[in-house]
Amino acid sequence: MSSNNSRPVIEGMRQEYNTNSLCQRAAVKLSVDYIRQAIDVLEIENLPIIIIGDYGSSHGSNSVYAIQFIIEALKETKKFDENKQQIFVVHNDLPTNDWASLFEVLAKNRSYHGVASGRSFYEQCLPSNSLAFGYTSISLHWLSTKPCNISDQCLVHSSRNESEINEFRQKAALDYAHFLEYRSRELVPGGVLVLVILANSEKDNRDHADLLYRCAQELLSPQELLDYTLPIYCRSYSECVDRDLFEKFGLELVKADAINVKSDLGEKLRNGEITLDYLAQVQTAAVRAACEYPLKQALISNKQRSTEEIVKILDQYWDLHEKGMKEQSYDFNTDMMVIDLVLKKKINK
Ligand SMILES: C[S@@+](CC[C@H](N)C(=O)[O-])C[C@H]1O[C@@H](n2cnc3c(N)ncnc32)[C@H](O)[C@@H]1O
């Protein structure tokens, strides 16, 4: 039995995201070579205003880090002429994002003019032919809507239900096509996109997904458990590197790689620099900051629980998660697989 649910599926990250997103920061740091390669092929000499967009900026700390790197690289490579051109940055995320946190980060960092765009990146967010440099990191695995509930797991990657997996696969393909179509419209000819996409690394996803589901089985009613389906799909390399789609939207593939983003936590644990308890605590806080909303939503939408009960269940859930990680941590790979892509909008489209 799977029920369809087409309302927006996440509000954004939990409040503590900025301090619990080191893993995502590592992916941003590893994208700098791709940013440089994108700038090498960028052709924007005649633009008076260079618009840079970050899609899925969340609470801002990693986003500002990426933007500052892009601006520095534009200056170093002289692709940006400070006497003739200006830089304007758009931080995009869902309307329900914690924008106050992002504005706080922007207020502390006054090195560029940054504004917010609160609109789904699966729609057009900027005027056509305006964007020079589009960037996104660890955001495209969040689907626009949940295509169906998953009946045997909470994450599609560990499900064995072929028809449900297929619905997720199709939704992810459609969302990706929309993302590329709208970014292509927004880009000026000669403009570029750098995409850092969380990839499907089968074994790691399955271990963690199993733990997320086991914890939910202990606390949720059958209907809540069914509704607790994360609207996430981690794409494979071939799903990301789709030359027909690039061609259709006038985009040229400059570079694509699958990259292992190493987490230093695993290494520190092996060297005895941190304890297993600490690793489980840090990892749980990170997963909670990024993924709590769908669980909360499953509890709220079933209207069976008081607000106090929901708060209690959420705490219990993450306690169980931390305990489960401690028991299994030797098995957990704390690294992350990503696909990094550089695309350029063709000049003679
Ligand atoms: C894991 S965070 C990554 C944030 C940041 N790029 C980083 O590297 O830390 C994913 C972000 O994507 C946003 N997001 C998810 N779906 C979105 C959509 N359809 N439109 C805009 N933002 C979206 C979420 O709200 C969240 O802030």
Side-chain angles (χ1 to χ4, degrees), residues 165-175 233:
I165 296 172
N166 212 21
E167 284 202 52
F168 266 70
R169 191 179 291 128
Q170 283 175 20
K171 182 78 200 164
L174 201 62
D175 277 350
Y233 186 91

Side-chain angles (χ1 to χ4, degrees), residues 22 27 31 96 128 174 213 223 284 314:
L22 285 177
S31 73
T96 44
S128 300
L174 201 62
Y213 195 62
Q223 187 60 45
T284 298
L314 292 175

Side-chain angles (χ1 to χ4, degrees), residues 91-332:
H91 291 278
N92 161 272
D93 208 287
L94 292 167
T96 44
N97 181 45
D98 178 1
W99 290 105
S101 293
L102 184 129
F103 293 142
E104 219 175 283
V105 174
L106 282 183
K108 284 191 197 132
N109 180 308
R110 295 185 169 270
S111 63
Y112 59 84
H113 296 287
V115 297
S117 141
R119 184 176 279 197
S120 169
F121 51 50
Y122 296 120
E123 299 167 27
Q124 187 162 350
C125 303
L126 296 176
S128 300
N129 286 313
S130 65
L131 178 69
F133 196 117
Y135 181 83
T136 186
S137 184
I138 317 292
S139 298
L140 279 175
H141 56 290
W142 287 103
L143 300 178
S144 60
T145 55
K146 183 166 63 170
C148 63
N149 279 328
I150 299 168
S151 47
D152 60 345
Q153 283 288 340
C154 55
L155 258 173
V156 68
H157 300 290
S158 54
S159 170
R160 301 200 187 277
N161 185 313
E162 275 310 319
S163 74
E164 291 165 5
I165 296 172
N166 212 21
E167 284 202 52
F168 266 70
R169 191 179 291 128
Q170 283 175 20
K171 182 78 200 164
L174 201 62
D175 277 350
Y176 189 51
H178 281 147
F179 183 89
L180 291 176
E181 178 178 2
Y182 292 124
R183 297 302 80 75
S184 170
R185 279 197 208 168
E186 291 168 359
L187 279 170
V188 293
V192 290
L193 284 179
V194 172
L195 313 181
V196 179
I197 303 175
L198 187 60
N200 184 8
S201 114
E202 295 259 333
K203 156 104 176 53
D204 308 332
N205 284 340
R206 180 151 293 162
D207 285 348
H208 190 220
D210 285 346
L211 173 62
L212 289 169
Y213 195 62
R214 273 202 315 279
C215 300
Q217 280 174 310
E218 287 199 32
L219 298 169
L220 306 193
S221 71
Q223 187 60 45
E224 288 166 344
L225 188 63
L226 181 63
D227 285 338
Y228 178 38
T229 292
L230 288 139
I232 284 179
Y233 186 91
C234 299
R235 295 175 181 83
S236 63
Y237 181 88
S238 60
E239 285 171 312
C240 293
V241 185
D242 183 337
R243 287 165 199 275
D244 292 343
L245 211 53
F246 302 155
E247 184 62 35
K248 184 171 170 192
F249 299 126
L251 297 165
E252 176 193 330
L253 177 65
V254 177
K255 182 134 182 90
D257 288 313
I259 298 178
N260 184 33
V261 181
K262 268 209 132 355
S263 144
D264 59 355
L265 285 175
E267 187 111 346
K268 283 185 175 163
L269 180 70
R270 282 187 291 279
N271 297 339
E273 289 170 57
I274 58 169
T275 62
L276 195 55
D277 284 9
Y278 178 78
L279 182 131
Q281 193 189 328
V282 171
Q283 289 283 94
T284 298
V287 182
R288 184 173 190 172
C291 297
E292 181 169 273
Y293 184 75
L295 173 60
K296 194 171 159 191
Q297 195 51 41
L299 293 167
I300 293 171
S301 63
N302 278 284
K303 299 191 171 78
Q304 304 290 313
R305 318 269 189 184
S306 66
T307 311
E308 295 73 35
E309 216 182 336
I310 291 176
V311 171
K312 199 167 149 206
I313 292 175
L314 292 175
D315 285 342
Q316 286 173 330
Y317 179 85
W318 296 110
D319 285 348
L320 283 175
H321 181 275
E322 192 174 322
K323 198 164 148 250
M325 287 211 98
K326 278 182 207 161
E327 283 160 10
Q328 255 180 292
S329 274
Y330 58 89
D331 253 356
F332 272 94

